[in-house]
């Protein structure tokens, strides 16, 4: 004789789906909190025209991505984003990127799309397009779409653990900002391999 299990009731199915969803959410949250940097990073303050900043191991030196404005206040259409260091690990001074940093690591390639909108990509990870665009309030912001969320970017973090100058061991990258649809803070972790 075979045992036939009773059919699930609607409330049992809902309970099962709720528990499964909660388990998946907790697992994803733990994965995102896993392997944080041991460094306590400063938050850049009073930076003129800053769009977002990038921090990474192994030190607190921070890259600033800011609007590149002409003397008359208009956006430089050929090079709309200026990238430079704030050397917190030294004396906190502003410093330009070196050639190798600009061409192979932290620099960006920008393409005008028209209508006060630009696409830009990091030279070290060209797969993911970011966008610089003017909002209804006439201010510019940088955004990216990840996992069906369009994020107004405020900070990027790259977790590096070991490796060499030319081949750092990048564990992950995190994009922090505001979800444009909900207005809520959001952090998305992306693989950069």
């Amino acid at each position: 004789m075979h045992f036939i299990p009773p059919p699930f009731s609607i409330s049992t199915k809902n309970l099962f789906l709720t528990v499964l969803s909660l388990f998946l959410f907790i697992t994803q949250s733990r994965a995102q909190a896993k392997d944080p940097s041991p460094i306590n990073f400063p938050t850049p303050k009073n930076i003129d025209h800053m769009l977002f900043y990038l921090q990474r191991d192994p030190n607190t030196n921070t890259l600033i991505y800011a609007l590149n404005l002409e003397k008359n206040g208009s956006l430089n259409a050929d090079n709309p984003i200026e990238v430079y260091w704030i050397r917190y690990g030294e004396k906190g001074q502003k410093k330009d990127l070196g050639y190798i940093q600009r061409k192979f690591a932290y620099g960006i390639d920008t393409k005008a799309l028209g209508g006060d909108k630009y696409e830009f990509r990091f030279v070290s990870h060209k797969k993911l397009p970011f966008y610089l665009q003017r909002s209804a309030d006439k201010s510019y912001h940088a955004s990216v779409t990840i996992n069906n969320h369009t994020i107004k970017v405020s900070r990027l973090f790259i977790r590096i653990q070991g490796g060499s100058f030319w081949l750092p061991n990048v564990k992950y990258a995190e994009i922090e900002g505001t979800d444009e649809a909900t207005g809520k803070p959001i952090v998305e972790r992306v693989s950069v391999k």
Side-chain angles (χ1 to χ4, degrees), residues 25 46 53 92 190:
F25 174 76
N46 303 318
Y53 59 99
V190 294

Side-chain angles (χ1 to χ4, degrees), residues 48-60:
D48 291 337
H49 314 294
M50 182 173 72
L51 294 163
F52 62 93
Y53 59 99
L54 185 150
Q55 294 174 316
R56 82 284 177 269
D57 298 320
N59 59 48
T60 59

Side-chain angles (χ1 to χ4, degrees), residues 53-144:
Y53 59 99
L54 185 150
Q55 294 174 316
R56 82 284 177 269
D57 298 320
N59 59 48
T60 59
N61 293 335
T62 299
L63 288 143
I64 304 296
Y65 293 78
L67 291 176
N68 186 13
L69 301 178
E70 302 287 356
K71 291 184 195 253
N72 65 5
S74 65
L75 188 64
N76 180 320
D78 295 328
N79 186 26
I81 300 174
E82 176 185 19
V83 185
Y84 59 89
W85 290 102
I86 298 292
R87 306 293 282 194
Y88 290 114
E90 296 164 21
K91 297 177 184 171
Q93 74 274 25
K94 178 179 174 180
K95 187 174 179 183
D96 290 336
L97 271 65
Y99 177 82
I100 292 172
Q101 295 166 341
R102 191 173 60 253
K103 294 293 185 184
F104 299 103
Y106 307 112
I108 56 173
D109 290 328
T110 307
K111 175 172 66 173
L113 300 177
D116 290 328
K117 186 172 182 178
Y118 300 82
E119 178 187 279
F120 66 96
R121 296 174 189 249
F122 286 86
V123 295
S124 58
H125 189 70
K126 294 185 179 187
K127 294 179 193 174
L128 185 62
F130 287 73
Y131 297 93
L132 172 66
Q133 57 195 0
R134 190 172 237 176
S135 302
D137 68 357
K138 304 292 183 198
S139 67
Y140 282 91
H141 69 275
S143 64
V144 65

Side-chain angles (χ1 to χ4, degrees), residues 152-169:
K152 182 178 175 183
V153 181
S154 59
R155 178 183 187 246
L156 300 176
F157 174 71
I158 300 172
R159 178 74 167 108
I160 300 171
Q161 195 171 38
S164 66
F165 176 79
W166 285 105
L167 291 171
N169 182 23

